[in-house]
Amino acid sequence: MTEGLEEEEELLNLSLAIVTDSGGDRKRKRKIRALLDPYEGCEGKIFRLLQMREQMLKPGFKRKGVVEDGKGLHLIHLLLITATAVDENNLCTALDNLTELYQSVSLTGDSVHRVVAYFADGLAARLLTRRSPFYDMIMKEPTSEEEFLAFTDLYRVSPYCQLAHFTANQAILEAFEKEEESNNRALHVIDFDVSYGFQWPSLIQSLSEKATSGNQISLRITGYGRSLEELQETESRLVSFSKGFRNLMFEFQGLLRGSKLINLRKKKNETVAVNLVFHLNTLNDFLKISDTLKSIHSLNPSIVVLVEQEGSRSPRSFLSRFMESLHYFAAMFDSLEDFLPLESSERLSIEKNLLGKEIKTMLNYDKDNNDSNCPRYEKMETWKGRMESHGFSGIKLSSKSLIQAKLLLKIRTHYSPLQFDGESNNGFRVFLRDDGRAISLGWQDRCLLTASAWHCV
């Protein structure tokens, strides 16, 4: 037994040397030993944990009999105990529990298996910290192409993003129609996170249906992106799509995220719509959110559309955010079973390159309890209060928005029964909130996202 442990420790040290420096000079070896000081006596446990994780990641690998009751209560209970141990920096206990979790889960198992696997990764990275040579291996991010393909798959099969976009577009279209006699049939949309422009083809098509060859409509989109490459690709895709609608004049202006609103070009009397779909929560601190809302208010837009992931994140502790995240992502993983089979490569891509990435990032934001680095996944009422305090008033959504949302779910839902307005909580459901000023998408008893519309007062 002792001989086996010594052999494992030798293998671990060899792996560390390879990961850190293939040259193996003395300076590097001293650095490795310094990195491992907090883990003295646990090297063998770290190595076994990494072995179990590597085995779990093998394509098609399946565990036996762990979730026989279909509820995964054992896995969830063990995950919560592990999160507590990690939070308390109880290294050896946490390593033992994480190893057991990796032995028990599979990326091709049911939704409990899969969501626990990614939460285990997030906890392992948090436990080892950024000083560990294995942190980057666990937290390795997908390439931009992998992330784009995963988002494309999610957009194609799930109502999650489509409902957010279609609801926002309906509100923007109605604001444009309301001002049609005074806006010179010109609409300017300012999108704070253009994300390859997935949202806008449906708006282009809807506007084209209102236009004629002798009475064209002008649509300009100013989109903020993460890179020049993303903005160029977005412009190319949208310009190419718009060419199929000859009664619509289309223009795209790309700006890098962080660019000031003073760079915007506005035309006289045009209807200005601001699109905040999954954007404000990425700003990470209240001052940036406040500055953004103040800048938007100074534009005096006709409408501001806000869509955010629904949450009730408590900033008080890591464990409270862990529990909130677990409830949310368990619902997201469970909902994917309504569209994609267990063996689906698309589902694995979505979970690994989108949801899994978000889980691991979420659990490793505030290792030093720096709350300013934590995404703002909060309740609708919190966002409402923030909008109102910055001079915005909620707009009642039209009946078309709810009808459209229900139709989308009917098209997109395959296996689970649809639920509307307070019916039993099985599968997807849509419902109005705040006296019709907001619409939410839920899965079973969990609210996933909420869309609302606002105007300046």
Side-chain angles (χ1 to χ4, degrees):
M1 185 73 174
T2 305
E3 184 177 335
L5 283 174
E6 290 174 351
E7 182 179 350
E8 286 184 356
E9 289 182 9
E10 288 176 6
L11 286 170
L12 175 67
N13 291 330
L14 177 61
S15 300
L16 285 169
I18 292 171
V19 169
T20 310
D21 181 21
S22 58
D25 60 0
R26 291 183 179 179
K27 187 176 180 180
R28 286 291 187 184
K29 288 180 180 178
R30 285 198 299 271
K31 186 176 181 180
I32 295 170
R33 284 195 290 272
L35 288 169
L36 282 173
D37 278 347
Y39 313 118
E40 187 176 356
C42 293
E43 293 93 336
K45 292 187 177 186
I46 295 174
F47 185 72
R48 282 193 295 277
L49 178 148
L50 296 172
Q51 277 186 318
M52 291 302 102
R53 181 180 183 271
E54 183 179 358
Q55 200 170 23
M56 183 269 293
L57 292 175
K58 289 179 180 178
F61 190 82
K62 296 184 178 181
R63 304 298 183 189
K64 295 181 180 178
V66 177
V67 195
E68 292 175 352
D69 61 359
K71 297 180 181 179
L73 294 179
H74 167 73
L75 286 177
I76 298 298
H77 180 65
L78 182 58
L79 184 67
L80 297 179
I81 292 175
T82 306
T84 302
V86 171
D87 188 49
E88 296 172 351
N89 207 28
N90 189 339
L91 188 67
C92 288
T93 299
L95 288 171
D96 287 339
N97 290 344
L98 283 168
T99 300
E100 184 178 345
L101 284 171
Y102 282 133
Q103 288 175 310
S104 305
V105 298
S106 166
L107 295 182
T108 55
D110 68 11
S111 60
V112 177
H113 272 251
R114 300 185 327 266
V115 76
V116 169
Y118 290 107
F119 271 88
D121 262 0
L123 290 175
R126 185 179 178 89
L127 184 70
L128 295 175
T129 76
R130 290 173 176 82
R131 295 176 60 202
S132 167
F134 297 111
Y135 178 88
D136 290 338
M137 179 181 72
I138 295 173
M139 294 292 289
K140 182 181 178 182
E141 294 197 356
T143 64
S144 57
E145 181 180 3
E146 288 172 334
E147 194 168 354
F148 173 75
L149 291 174
F151 184 79
T152 302
D153 288 333
L154 179 64
Y155 201 88
R156 179 175 56 83
V157 302
S158 171
Y160 183 80
C161 293
Q162 288 191 18
L163 187 137
H165 288 171
F166 290 174
T167 302
N169 287 353
Q170 181 63 35
I172 291 171
L173 185 64
E174 291 172 8
F176 169 78
E177 291 172 341
K178 188 176 179 180
E179 299 179 355
E180 206 163 351
E181 293 183 2
S182 61
N183 61 16
N184 297 322
R185 295 176 69 79
L187 172 62
H188 183 187
V189 176
I190 303 167
D191 186 356
F192 275 75
D193 189 359
V194 75
S195 297
Y196 297 99
F198 277 79
Q199 179 172 346
W200 304 119
S202 66
L203 181 65
I204 290 172
Q205 187 168 354
S206 297
L207 287 171
S208 177
E209 291 170 358
K210 292 178 55 61
T212 63
S213 57
N215 197 8
Q216 290 185 321
I217 289 177
S218 170
L219 171 63
R220 291 197 306 133
I221 295 177
T222 298
Y224 287 84
R226 291 174 291 182
S227 68
L228 287 175
E229 181 185 14
E230 177 189 298
L231 291 171
Q232 289 167 354
E233 189 173 336
T234 300
E235 181 175 18
S236 175
R237 181 181 293 109
L238 292 179
V239 168
S240 176
F241 181 80
S242 67
K243 286 179 179 178
F245 304 90
R246 298 186 181 278
N247 52 2
L248 183 78
M249 293 181 290
F250 178 75
E251 181 184 351
F252 180 83
Q253 178 189 9
L255 296 174
L256 288 173
R257 286 188 66 172
S259 300
K260 299 296 184 182
L261 286 174
I262 56 175
N263 295 327
L264 296 176
R265 291 180 284 116
K266 291 181 63 178
K267 293 180 180 178
K268 186 177 180 180
N269 297 330
E270 68 183 359
T271 294
V272 176
V274 173
N275 193 63
L276 295 173
V277 175
F278 304 131
H279 173 68
L280 290 183
N281 72 74
T282 67
L283 298 182
N284 297 341
D285 71 51
F286 294 119
L287 182 59
K288 288 181 180 179
I289 293 173
S290 180
D291 287 346
T292 299
L293 292 178
K294 287 176 183 177
S295 297
I296 291 171
H297 194 276
S298 70
L299 294 173
N300 194 29
S302 300
I303 187 170
V304 178
V305 182
L306 176 68
V307 183
E308 284 296 345
Q309 174 180 308
E310 185 82 7
S312 56
R313 182 191 59 82
S314 168
R316 289 172 295 176
S317 70
F318 164 75
L319 288 177
S320 63
R321 191 172 76 252
F322 179 91
M323 288 297 298
E324 174 64 27
S325 300
L326 180 59
H327 283 300
Y328 177 83
F329 284 104
M332 287 292 291
F333 275 64
D334 196 32
S335 74
L336 288 178
E337 291 191 351
D338 194 50
F339 314 105
L340 298 167
L342 289 176
E343 301 78 15
S344 167
S345 60
E346 290 90 350
R347 195 179 73 171
L348 180 62
S349 171
I350 293 168
E351 294 174 348
K352 177 184 177 183
N353 298 322
L354 284 182
L355 304 181
K357 173 191 172 184
E358 192 173 350
I359 289 169
K360 290 189 284 187
T361 302
M362 175 73 70
L363 298 188
N364 284 275
Y365 255 110
D366 69 333
K367 188 63 178 74
D368 300 316
N369 294 318
N370 183 4
D371 183 55
S372 67
N373 287 329
C374 185
R376 305 280 159 198
Y377 296 145
E378 296 172 305
K379 285 183 176 293
M380 179 202 72
E381 291 79 7
T382 302
W383 288 114
K384 177 184 177 183
R386 196 165 288 141
M387 294 296 289
E388 291 176 344
S389 68
H390 285 83
F392 297 98
S393 178
I395 300 172
K396 199 158 188 173
L397 298 174
S398 71
S399 59
K400 287 183 180 179
S401 296
L402 185 61
I403 293 170
Q404 182 177 256
K406 290 181 177 181
L407 179 61
L408 175 64
L409 288 196
K410 187 174 182 180
I411 294 171
R412 284 285 173 260
T413 299
H414 297 175
Y415 310 121
S416 298
L418 289 177
Q419 310 299 330
F420 302 117
D421 299 323
E423 298 177 13
S424 60
N425 296 332
N426 295 308
F428 277 110
R429 59 195 180 101
V430 291
F431 51 100
L432 292 174
R433 298 167 70 186
D434 192 25
D435 295 324
R437 294 181 181 86
I439 186 170
S440 293
L441 171 69
W443 173 260
Q444 297 180 359
D445 60 352
R446 177 75 198 193
C447 187
L448 298 178
L449 64 84
T450 299
S452 55
W454 305 80
H455 64 84
C456 298
V457 292

